[in-house]
Amino acid sequence: MEFKAGDHVVYPTHGVGQVQGIEEMPVAGLSLKVIIVTFEENRMTLRVPVNKAASSGLRKLASAEAMQEALEVLRGRARIKRTMWSRRAQEYEAKINSGDPLAIAEVVRDLHRNAGQPDQSFSERQIYEQALDRLAAELAAIDRTDKAAAAEKLQTFLKAA
């Protein structure tokens, strides 16, 4: 997969970033070609070796069709397993860190609470907000809007369920 400066990309554990460029970097006496990705939100710069980009999970933004599929997942019924919260929390974290919009949408759908439903625990709320934030960031980059507008769009889909 070819990346160039200005491309918006997704790194599974950090979310949406922007490629600043590709440069040669001396590492242990060798010259290594790296992709430089910046994440505006947490002021972080990541250098991913070009030959490790695919195996690290670095990818371009999801297609509009893939994001539409993720939005449809939000309309579905929550599928909450009857396992202990700690086990489910681990599964949710793994889905969020996979970087897959469909998996993240499942987490948002499963942890979303409508008015009149029991309140969430602190950790449930944290995981829900992390998943919502990740999905909103990618949707905002695809729609070329800001994250607040994208989060509002996600909320609209959740309420339609």
Side-chain angles (χ1 to χ4, degrees):
M1 200 176 289
E2 286 294 313
F3 298 101
K4 59 187 182 304
D7 283 352
H8 279 87
V9 294
V10 176
Y11 191 77
T13 52
H14 299 298
V16 177
Q18 189 169 20
V19 175
Q20 297 304 309
I22 298 174
E23 64 183 39
E24 296 279 332
M25 206 173 130
V27 177
L30 301 168
S31 184
L32 188 64
K33 208 173 198 177
V34 294
I35 303 166
I36 300 170
V37 183
T38 56
F39 299 89
E40 197 63 43
E41 199 166 294
N42 43 9
R43 293 189 181 96
M44 184 177 77
T45 301
L46 189 67
R47 287 173 173 75
V48 182
V50 171
N51 58 351
K52 296 281 187 203
S55 63
S56 71
L58 187 68
R59 65 171 175 82
K60 293 188 183 237
L61 291 175
S63 65
E65 296 80 35
M67 188 50 78
Q68 193 57 44
E69 223 175 291
L71 293 174
E72 291 303 320
V73 167
L74 296 178
R75 286 197 173 132
R77 281 182 62 86
R79 293 190 188 100
I80 299 170
K81 295 178 183 167
R82 297 277 174 233
T83 55
M84 290 178 61
W85 167 246
S86 59
R87 166 88 62 222
R88 280 188 300 151
Q90 283 179 328
E91 289 173 13
Y92 290 148
E93 290 280 351
K95 283 182 176 185
I96 293 168
N97 288 332
S98 73
D100 175 21
L102 285 174
I104 297 170
E106 288 173 10
V107 175
V108 171
R109 176 198 66 204
D110 292 351
L111 293 179
H112 177 70
R113 292 282 192 267
N114 285 313
Q117 287 185 306
D119 288 336
Q120 291 175 312
S121 69
F122 178 74
S123 58
E124 269 183 308
R125 185 99 197 127
Q126 272 191 312
I127 292 173
Y128 169 74
E129 286 177 356
Q130 182 185 7
L132 189 64
D133 186 67
R134 241 347 127 70
L135 199 56
E138 189 160 0
L139 182 61
I142 291 169
D143 288 352
R144 291 185 167 80
T145 62
D146 63 336
K147 201 188 291 187
E152 192 60 42
K153 184 175 179 179
L154 293 175
Q155 291 294 341
T156 306
F157 271 85
L158 285 165
K159 288 183 179 102

